[in-house]
Amino acid sequence: MTTPVTAVIAFGSNLGESTGTIRLAAERLSRHPGIASLRLSPLYRTAPVGYTDQPDFVNAAALIETTLDAYALLSLLHTVEQDAGRERSFRNAPRTLDLDLIDYAGQTLDSPALQLPHPRAHQRGFVMIPLAEIAPRHILPGQTATAAELAAALGNEGVQRLDGTDS
């Protein structure tokens, strides 16, 4: 039996019923036999980054315990995205579901298929603020600040907690 490791996943959606899509994706992941536990943050409404001529996003973060290796977990995330109707038309395009592997067992990796930790996660409030809610002391590889410290430094401009409301 493989010992589970901790991973961080960022969730995003701005097409369709985003709140429901994120919750269904989290439920589907939590039922996978390679995922021992999943703790989902509260949901947030966030302004788009990069390509801004699109609807606001609903974002969340999850802390999971998994026996899947990083590539198998990434493959599972892509399958869940596809099943939710994800189309990759252009960088930062609107999407029904975006699942990013942010951290995997504190590993550093730079391959064509996967970069760990996610190279921009520590700069994005829509990742760090939800992560700080469920794992405030989590430190991404290459960083010295905790998720809570990074979230506080980034500020909450353009990031609003939904508190159970639908998108």
Side-chain angles (χ1 to χ4, degrees):
M1 174 81 185
T2 305
T3 303
V5 298
T6 301
V8 175
I9 300 167
F11 293 68
S13 172
N14 73 338
L15 293 178
E17 208 290 294
S18 296
T19 298
T21 298
I22 288 174
R23 288 187 176 134
L24 286 172
E27 183 181 319
R28 181 167 175 202
L29 290 171
S30 72
R31 289 193 318 255
H32 190 278
I35 296 181
S37 68
L38 182 147
R39 183 169 177 213
L40 186 67
S41 75
L43 302 180
Y44 286 82
R45 181 172 313 284
T46 64
V49 172
Y51 176 66
T52 57
D53 187 20
Q54 62 180 317
D56 284 351
F57 279 82
V58 175
N59 290 100
L63 196 64
I64 69 167
E65 295 294 321
T66 183
T67 55
L68 299 173
D69 68 39
Y71 290 100
L73 179 56
L74 182 64
S75 177
L76 173 62
L77 298 180
H78 287 167
T79 298
V80 173
E81 285 178 339
Q82 277 188 308
D83 291 350
R86 169 78 188 259
E87 293 181 15
R88 296 178 184 272
S89 53
F90 60 91
R91 185 174 171 87
N92 296 320
R95 58 208 81 140
T96 54
L97 182 62
D98 184 28
L99 299 173
D100 288 330
L101 182 53
I102 302 300
D103 185 16
Y104 180 88
Q107 293 180 8
T108 301
L109 180 65
D110 190 3
S111 78
L114 180 59
Q115 289 183 294
L116 291 171
H118 187 283
R120 294 169 301 283
H122 67 285
Q123 301 167 335
R124 294 182 167 169
F126 63 84
V127 173
M128 299 313 302
I129 291 170
L131 179 58
E133 288 236 26
I134 56 171
R137 293 188 300 272
H138 189 85
I139 298 176
L140 296 174
Q143 299 297 311
T144 56
T146 65
E149 291 165 341
L150 286 170
L154 290 166
N156 61 359
E157 184 176 338
V159 181
Q160 176 186 11
R161 189 171 170 169
L162 288 176
D163 290 325
T165 60
D166 288 338
S167 62

